[in-house]
């Protein structure tokens, strides 16, 4: 039951954000009584923190970190990452929820969007390292590496939302996603 609550809550928070989530609505969404949530979590904040921990342990950040350190061309790293991200998006609601909620959490931390909190994410900083490498190699477009990482993950975020909250959608192609960063 705890895992079900975590999984369903992650999806619900990714759609509604922390401030837009009421525990009573969340319980209805999961199909359980509100008290059942409180058996496992003392508060909405504790539940959200547990989801946050779960997201930060996810392999997508680890994968980008490992890719950034490999001694291979950046273009190959981006191809590998894109292939894996699109495959996971297509097959796994949990991955889509992780991407959506991680982005939502970053935006809620910086509600006026001026402090650059988004760029403090490990996902963005390691992607920026790959982009910088590609710029030096001549395979990646010029521009601010963090903004280019933002474009890339912004497109992934959009398709994660489509996966989670629309009935029919066409998945983006690897070529189209890579256009955000590759020449």
């Amino acid at each position: 039951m705890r895992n079900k609550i975590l999984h369903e809550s992650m999806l619900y928070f990714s759609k509604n954000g922390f401030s837009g989530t009421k525990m009573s609505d969340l319980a209805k969404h999961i199909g359980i009584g509100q008290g059942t949530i409180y058996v496992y979590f003392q508060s909405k904040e504790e539940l959200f923190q547990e989801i946050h921990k779960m997201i930060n342990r996810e392999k997508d950040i680890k994968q980008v970190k490992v890719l950034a350190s490999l001694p291979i061309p950046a273009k190959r790293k981006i191809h590998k990452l894109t292939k894996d991200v699109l495959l996971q998006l297509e097959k796994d609601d949990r991955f889509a929820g992780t991407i959506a909620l991680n982005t939502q959490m970053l935006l809620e931390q910086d509600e006026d969007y001026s402090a650059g909190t988004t760029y403090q994410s490990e996902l963005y900083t390691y992607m920026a390292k790959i982009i910088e490498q590609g710029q030096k190699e001549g395979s990646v477009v010029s521009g601010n590496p963090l903004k280019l990482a933002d474009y890339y993950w912004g497109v992934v975020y959009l398709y994660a939302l489509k996966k989670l909250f629309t009935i029919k959608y066409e998945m983006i192609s690897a070529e189209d996603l890579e256009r955000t960063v590759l020449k």
Side-chain angles (χ1 to χ4, degrees):
M1 181 55 70
R2 186 178 193 281
N3 286 337
K4 179 181 179 175
I5 292 169
L6 284 169
H7 176 73
E8 295 297 325
S9 296
M10 179 180 63
L11 298 175
Y12 195 83
F13 279 120
S14 67
K15 182 177 182 181
N16 299 294
F18 179 81
S19 57
T21 297
K22 293 180 183 174
M23 292 299 274
S24 58
D25 294 338
L26 176 60
K28 284 181 195 173
H29 169 77
I30 297 171
I32 60 175
Q34 188 172 342
T36 305
I37 296 173
Y38 290 113
V39 168
Y40 298 94
F41 305 96
Q42 292 181 9
S43 65
K44 180 171 94 168
E45 290 78 11
E46 182 182 323
L47 173 59
F48 194 75
Q49 287 296 335
E50 193 64 30
I51 292 168
H52 187 264
K53 287 180 201 171
M54 186 174 72
I55 288 170
N56 285 332
R57 288 190 303 255
E58 291 296 326
K59 63 182 178 181
D60 56 308
I61 293 173
K62 291 175 188 163
Q63 179 189 20
V64 176
K65 187 176 184 179
V66 168
L67 274 174
S69 67
L70 289 176
I72 60 174
K75 188 172 186 176
R76 204 162 135 211
K77 293 176 184 182
I78 292 168
H79 286 322
K80 170 81 172 123
L81 178 64
T82 299
K83 179 183 168 193
D84 291 348
V85 164
L86 292 180
L87 182 64
Q88 284 183 285
L89 267 181
E90 188 176 331
K91 294 186 175 195
D92 187 1
D93 282 353
R94 185 170 182 211
F95 178 76
T98 298
I99 292 293
L101 186 57
N102 193 24
T103 304
Q104 181 69 31
M105 288 166 48
L106 291 169
L107 294 174
E108 283 189 7
Q109 288 173 4
D110 186 16
E111 288 185 8
D112 66 0
Y113 309 107
S114 62
T117 306
T118 303
Y119 299 134
Q120 293 174 15
S121 164
E122 283 187 287
L123 201 56
Y124 283 75
T125 55
Y126 285 109
M127 184 70 179
K129 287 180 183 184
I130 295 170
I131 289 168
E132 285 179 53
Q133 176 192 348
Q135 288 172 331
K136 290 176 185 169
E137 295 169 354
S139 60
V140 172
V141 297
S142 62
N144 180 318
L146 285 171
K147 283 188 177 181
L148 291 170
D150 196 16
Y151 299 153
Y152 182 92
W153 288 111
V155 172
V156 173
Y157 172 64
L158 172 66
Y159 279 86
L161 292 176
K162 286 183 174 190
K163 164 84 174 167
L164 292 170
F165 305 114
T166 61
I167 295 169
K168 288 190 176 187
Y169 69 97
E170 185 177 330
M171 180 56 78
I172 191 170
S173 70
E175 295 80 22
D176 287 340
L177 176 56
E178 290 174 350
R179 270 188 214 156
T180 58
V181 292
L182 292 179
K183 286 184 176 180

